[in-house]
Amino acid sequence: MDAPLIVLEDVCFAYDAERPVLRGVDFRLERGRRIGLTGANGSGKSTFLKLIVGLLRPTRGRVCVLGEERRVEREFLPVRQRVGFLFQDPDDQLFCPTVEEDVAFGPLNQGRPPAEVRELVTDALAVVGLEGFEHRITYRLSGGEKRLVALAGVLAMRPEILLLDEPVAGLDEAAQARITATLCGLRHEMIIVSHDQQFLDATATTTLHIRDGRVQA
Ligand SMILES: Nc1ncnc2c1ncn2[C@@H]1O[C@H](COP(=O)(O)OP(=O)(O)OP(=O)(O)O)[C@@H](O)[C@H]1O
Ligand SMILES: [Mg+2]
């Protein structure tokens, strides 16, 4: 049996020592699994995802991704090339003047040649239903459009694993249906945070919950 892609062991985290957010998380993402994650507002879902890609570091416990324990920034750099992370707030993800530049940023940063990147950008925008948006000004897009551009940027990196923080929040029915179909058509392992149980039923193989600082069935 292959090693799990992501393993967290006894992971604890607090932004502020008085109020721990995660209190001994044990978690595994096995090959072929797509895990839906729910939990109350403020329960620590976004925090959990950020710990996996090293945007935050645990105060205790181990984080292993793609077969290796990851502790310091240097060890997380390859993780961020191979694990696609969709921020909950698209404004945290998008920072280029145009849509094309934003979607191209990740794949260019991976060292892919410009001709290939152009194709990846066109494909990714088509997948999220934003054909022809290449030259639009990112900061002037609507909230839903921004979320779709951010998702296109993640998909354009052709990541091996997807961590998606509320990918369909605020999207209209057609966009939700398109994203649901896209995710179902991908073979990637995923962790999908959402409050929408119907969406998780359609996209995830299992749903887990964050409760009392732990990931539970
Ligand atoms: N940068 C920060 N500094 C201090 N506290 C923070 C910070 N970010 C988050 N928190 C707190 O940590 C807790 C967990 O936040 P987190 O964003 O992980 O929750 P969540 O489960 O993703 O919630 P939501 O469903 O609202 O997105 C919350 O109480 C939040 O107020
Ligand atoms: Mg959150």
Side-chain angles (χ1 to χ4, degrees), residues 40-47 49-50 88 165-166 193 195:
N41 293 133
S43 59
K45 302 177 298 296
S46 298
T47 302
L49 294 185
K50 287 179 184 168
Q88 182 168 4
D165 200 347
E166 306 266 9
V193 169
H195 294 290

Side-chain angles (χ1 to χ4, degrees), residues 63-76:
V63 175
C64 305
V65 185
L66 294 159
E68 286 180 47
E69 184 171 3
R70 313 283 173 171
R71 286 156 301 203
V72 294
E73 181 64 11
R74 176 174 47 78
E75 294 169 340
F76 279 105

